[in-house]
Amino acid sequence: MTEHTPATLDLEDIQRGVLSARPTPYAATYLLFRIDDRAHGRELMRRISAVVTSAADPVSPLGETWVSVALTYQGLKALGVPRQSLDTFAWEFRQGMAARAAALGDTGDSGPDRWERPLGTPDVHVVLTALAPDNARLQAAIERARPAYDALPGVTAVWRQNCHALPTETEPFGYRDGVSHPAVEGSGIAGSNPLETPLKAGEFVLGHPDELGGVQAPQPDELGRNGTYVAIRKLHQRVALFRRYLRDNATGPQDEELLAAKIMGRWRSGAPLALSPLHDDPALGADAARRNAFLYRQDDPAGFTTPGGCHIRRANPRDAAVAGVPRLHRMIRRGTVYGPPLPDGVLDDDGADRGLMFAFVGAHLGRQFEFVQTEWLNDGVFFGGGPARDPVTGSADGSGDFIVPRRPVRRRLESLPRFVVTRGGEYGFMPSLTALRWLGDLAG
């Protein structure tokens, strides 16, 4: 039997936004650009390659601060990447998120015809993300990046979204977010679950062997290797509607919190039902070393503690007995809050736009992001739940339900409304630093 040799990653060449965990709290900004002049677009790539932070730089001179950049398929075309190279990118990426909307469940209020412009249109070419522990350092990061695109009239800023993460790490529905992330071989960054074996580097970084032994990378090698794919989505959260639904279906405040936990799979503090099934445990929820150290197969195969249809068990079934191999669909997921919080106890919508900027990172758009979205969040066949959708983020239409396994009689929540509405999104390719320079040096 051949001994396995762990991957060695060139962290100096990989953008830091691919692998590094985010600080708490933090502020972030998404900036989108359109390239109208090919030469100016290439100059942007040359300049930005000197600004982007690598994964080998865990503490930058500005602190926990970094800048990342990704390009859409239309952006690569605008730069003049040769057709023979373009054709080697993942077909989902080449189609773009708007074209994949029906498969992803982005219909009705979430349909591309209702997205914020220019999201989902051919006018989005470059996605620049800046992140820092606070607004002062965020502005410093943006100012550091500004010379890369200033004085380039052929590059136009077309959209901006400011975001933040609270010290409580909670998202608009009130749950602690960002609890679970995988360990990646060769990264030197530990995963959040000590019971999970690190995943092969090729699951997240192109040009390296993945869990199946394959190596995926756009060509030529200097363009594709050490890059990755990203999916960004602006997700509006109907917080008042979510609160009213819990209130209307609970017998009292204590039951309301239990229902919220059963729907998510965790109490609002971040404590998982798997480790604290009867009540919330804020100390556990705040303990990053303990709050994610659990599996399902041995202790809870039927979902009596953590329902099979709850959000966290759908998004990451861990070792549960489901159709398929969960490790092949593991992904890096990050969410950043935008908009003002709805004050505690308010059950009426105040009209403010609030939610998450969702970011997926992975080497396989199809079998990671799209598979989880279509087969696990918007369907329940994989765990025996029929057509039931994710109760939190699924593309509900008011006719679905959510089952809470319980003895002697299961509990059923009916007529689930759509709590999360897609306001737009893009598929991107996050190049290596080598690839950014390669794009800058294109000729013709």
Side-chain angles (χ1 to χ4, degrees):
M1 184 175 180
T2 304
E3 184 178 349
H4 170 64
T5 302
T8 300
L9 293 177
D10 181 4
L11 299 179
E12 293 279 1
D13 197 39
I14 300 170
Q15 292 195 48
R16 186 170 175 197
V18 175
L19 299 171
S20 295
R22 296 177 173 183
T24 300
Y26 68 86
T29 292
Y30 285 84
L31 288 166
L32 305 187
F33 298 88
R34 184 184 68 242
I35 298 171
D36 299 310
D37 181 275
R38 180 169 293 176
H40 288 182
R42 292 171 178 175
E43 178 62 22
L44 173 65
M45 295 298 104
R46 284 192 289 270
R47 294 181 183 183
I48 208 70
S49 68
V51 175
V52 167
T53 316
S54 82
D57 186 12
V59 182
S60 76
L62 293 173
E64 290 288 327
T65 303
W66 65 86
V67 173
S68 298
V69 66
L71 294 107
T72 66
Y73 179 65
Q74 296 299 327
L76 293 174
K77 288 174 63 177
L79 290 174
V81 174
R83 170 58 59 183
Q84 60 266 33
S85 292
L86 291 172
D87 290 345
T88 63
F89 282 84
W91 69 271
E92 299 91 350
F93 170 73
R94 300 199 306 268
Q95 284 196 318
M97 189 179 291
R100 303 291 300 149
L104 296 172
D106 290 332
T107 57
D109 288 347
S110 290
D113 59 320
R114 301 192 182 185
W115 287 5
E116 290 184 15
R117 296 303 182 198
L119 295 171
T121 74
D123 287 338
V124 178
H125 295 162
V126 180
V127 180
L128 187 147
T129 308
L131 183 144
D134 51 51
N135 278 315
R137 279 177 280 188
L138 176 65
Q139 291 307 312
I142 293 172
E143 289 305 313
R144 189 163 61 95
R146 189 180 302 279
Y149 55 85
D150 263 1
L152 290 175
V155 176
T156 304
V158 293
W159 189 82
R160 178 170 181 167
Q161 181 65 61
N162 295 326
C163 309
H164 60 274
L166 300 171
T168 58
E169 301 178 78
T170 53
E171 47 73 59
F173 289 146
Y175 297 93
R176 186 186 294 271
D177 196 25
V179 171
S180 179
H181 57 88
V184 182
E185 275 193 358
S187 70
I189 300 171
S192 59
N193 187 351
L195 305 177
E196 180 181 59
T197 304
L199 281 94
K200 299 293 187 293
E203 290 297 306
F204 306 103
V205 183
L206 294 162
H208 299 271
D210 59 23
E211 289 285 314
L212 296 175
V215 177
Q216 310 294 325
Q219 296 301 307
D221 198 53
E222 55 263 47
L223 172 62
R225 184 175 175 81
N226 290 331
T228 194
Y229 291 109
V230 296
I232 62 166
R233 288 163 72 78
K234 182 174 181 178
L235 303 176
H236 170 70
Q237 293 179 241
R238 292 169 165 168
V239 178
L241 180 63
F242 184 74
R243 291 178 181 176
R244 285 201 308 274
Y245 186 84
L246 290 175
R247 183 72 55 87
D248 292 345
N249 286 276
T251 58
Q254 186 174 355
D255 186 51
E256 188 175 330
E257 287 307 300
L258 177 62
L259 278 183
K262 289 292 184 179
I263 284 173
M264 178 62 66
R266 291 184 184 273
W267 301 92
R268 295 187 198 268
S269 72
L273 287 169
L275 300 179
S276 185
L278 301 179
H279 56 79
D280 198 356
D281 184 345
L284 172 62
D287 190 341
R290 295 193 296 137
R291 67 190 180 201
N292 206 40
F294 62 90
L295 299 172
Y296 297 121
R297 184 185 292 269
Q298 180 175 340
D299 298 328
D300 189 28
F304 283 105
T305 300
T306 308
C310 74
H311 177 69
I312 71 164
R313 194 157 173 168
R314 283 175 175 271
N316 179 17
R318 301 179 188 236
D319 67 332
V322 299
V325 182
R327 283 179 67 85
L328 296 182
H329 313 296
R330 195 77 166 93
M331 60 186 188
I332 294 173
R333 172 212 173 276
R334 299 189 178 109
T336 312
V337 176
Y338 74 85
L342 186 67
D344 291 343
V346 174
L347 300 179
D348 294 317
D349 187 11
D350 61 359
D353 186 17
R354 58 177 59 88
L356 279 182
M357 283 297 296
F358 167 92
F360 151 85
V361 178
H364 303 276
L365 274 173
R367 72 166 166 86
Q368 290 173 321
F369 171 71
E370 289 207 353
F371 183 94
V372 171
Q373 189 73 22
T374 60
E375 303 299 324
W376 287 357
L377 299 184
N378 283 329
D379 203 344
V381 172
F382 78 103
F383 73 95
R389 297 173 174 136
D390 185 296
V392 181
T393 65
S395 55
D397 58 8
S399 64
D401 58 17
F402 174 68
I403 301 299
V404 180
R406 187 176 63 173
R407 294 186 178 96
V409 180
R410 67 182 184 175
R411 186 173 188 176
R412 181 183 180 190
L413 302 181
E414 300 179 318
S415 305
L416 281 165
R418 189 164 196 153
F419 296 121
V420 178
V421 177
T422 306
R423 289 281 170 84
E426 295 287 344
Y427 284 155
F429 168 63
M430 188 178 287
S432 67
L433 275 69
T434 296
L436 287 172
R437 292 187 288 269
W438 185 89
L439 290 167
D441 290 339
L442 281 170

